[in-house]
Amino acid sequence: MFIATLIAPGTLAGGDISAACDRLRAAGCAPGESQWIDDGHAADIRFDAAPEAARTALEGVFAATDIVVQPASVRGKKLLIADMDSTMITVECIDELADYAGIKPQIAEITERAMRGELEFEAALDARVALLAGLDEAVIERCLQERVVIMPGAAALVRTMKARGALTVLVSGGFTRFADPVAATIGFDRAIANRLLVERGALTGTVAKPIVGSATKLETLLAARAERGLAERETLAVGDGANDLAMIERAGLGVAYHAKPIVAAAAAARVDYGDLTALLYAQGIARAEWVTE
C-alpha cells in the first residue's frame, strides 16, 4: 500500500483530490480511500501499486501543489538530517559574508555552480573562503543578525519531530558560527558544520579540515541511524544542493526542497511550492499536532 499526499495550503480543493484519484486510476495505481489531513491544505490518497507511475501522473499537474508519494508504512520518521543554507535558512551565508566584503557576485556564482553539481564542493568552498581572507571577524555576527532568516516552517518541523521522539541533526557545508546559533534557535539536537579559521580578529581565508561536504552528510545519516537502531525507512533527509544528494538518496524519505535541478531530478520527493511544514504533512501530521514553541 502507498500514499500520495497532495499539499497546497489554503488552495487545495475536493475537486483536486477527485481529479488525482482519476489520474491514479488511469495510471493503473488502483486508488482507494482518500482523506483530508487538514481541510483545504493537505490530503492523502491511498493506492495499491506503481508508485513511480503515481508520481508521473500527479507531479506538475495541479497548480502550486506539492506531491509526496511513499509507502504507507512508517510515515512518521525518527531521524531528521537537514541542510542549513537555503533549506533551514533563506540565504547562503558565504554569499552574504561576501557582500560585506564587496565581492558577493563573484562568490555567489561559485556557490551556484557548486550547488548545481558543476564544481567539486570541497574545492569550491576552499576557493570561496580564500577570497574572504582579511575580512573582520566581527562581520560574522553582523551577518548573522542582519541577514540570516529562519525558513518558514523550520521550527515547526524540527520541534514537532522532536516531540515525537525523533533525533534532529543540522549538517551544513557552511560554518559553525552560523550553524550553531541557527540550530539552537530552531531546536535541533545537534549541529555539524565547517569551522572558519581566524587570526588576530580577521578571517585567514581557510577552513579547518576535513571539510564537511557530501560524504560527511551521508556519514552523519548512517551513524545516526546506527546510534538509534533505525531502519532506513524511519529516516528523513532534506536539502537543496548537490552536496545533499547522497544523504537524500539514502534516506527513507529524501526530499529536495526548492532544490537545484540535479537534486530535484534524483530525489524521491520534492517540495517546490510550500514551506517546510510540507514535511509534516508528508508524515500525516495535521496542523493541530504541530509544536511551534
Side-chain angles (χ1 to χ4, degrees), residues 9-261:
T11 64
L12 193 64
D16 297 324
I17 300 170
S18 296
C21 288
D22 290 343
R23 293 187 67 85
L24 289 172
R25 192 172 296 108
C29 301
E33 177 190 12
S34 64
Q35 62 182 28
W36 289 104
I37 301 174
D38 274 328
D39 286 1
H41 299 281
D44 285 337
I45 303 171
R46 293 180 177 267
F47 64 98
D48 288 338
E52 287 305 314
R55 286 187 65 186
T56 300
L58 298 179
E59 286 185 345
V61 173
F62 304 97
T65 300
D66 292 309
I67 306 292
V68 177
V69 173
Q70 62 183 318
S73 62
V74 196
R75 288 182 78 188
K77 306 305 180 186
K78 295 300 183 182
L79 173 64
L80 169 65
I81 306 292
D83 175 45
M84 180 177 71
D85 294 62
S86 298
T87 302
M88 288 290 144
I89 61 176
T90 62
V91 298
E92 295 284 338
C93 290
I94 193 167
D95 294 356
E96 300 309 313
L97 283 178
D99 200 22
Y100 289 96
I103 55 171
K104 183 174 181 177
Q106 183 178 352
I107 283 187
E109 180 184 4
I110 301 173
T111 300
E112 178 69 12
R113 293 183 64 197
M115 292 302 98
R116 287 180 174 273
E118 297 169 5
L119 299 173
E120 193 267 335
F121 178 80
E122 286 78 0
L125 183 65
D126 276 336
R128 287 174 289 165
V129 172
L131 295 172
L132 298 176
L135 187 66
D136 190 335
E137 180 186 12
V139 168
I140 298 174
E141 183 62 27
R142 183 180 170 192
C143 183
L144 178 64
Q145 297 301 321
E146 296 178 351
R147 304 290 181 89
V148 174
V149 177
I150 303 300
M151 189 69 73
L157 171 64
V158 171
R159 295 172 190 181
T160 301
M161 290 188 68
K162 284 182 63 176
R164 290 167 168 258
L167 175 66
T168 60
V169 186
L170 184 69
V171 186
S172 174
F175 309 117
T176 56
R177 296 284 291 270
F178 297 99
D180 289 346
V182 164
T185 297
I186 295 173
F188 279 93
D189 293 301
R190 303 172 188 168
I192 300 168
N194 292 299
R195 184 165 61 89
L196 280 170
L197 299 182
V198 176
E199 289 182 3
R200 299 184 182 90
L203 274 62
T204 65
T206 56
V207 294
K209 301 298 191 294
I211 286 175
V212 175
S214 176
T216 306
K217 295 188 177 197
L218 176 56
E219 289 163 6
T220 300
L221 169 66
L222 298 178
R225 266 187 57 192
E227 174 189 332
R228 289 292 178 102
L230 301 175
E232 180 179 288
R233 64 182 181 273
E234 297 178 283
T235 66
L236 167 62
V238 58
D240 74 301
N243 62 327
D244 301 312
L245 192 50
M247 71 173 185
I248 286 172
E249 290 179 328
R250 288 294 297 274
L253 180 61
V255 181
Y257 182 75
H258 297 266
K260 305 304 180 189

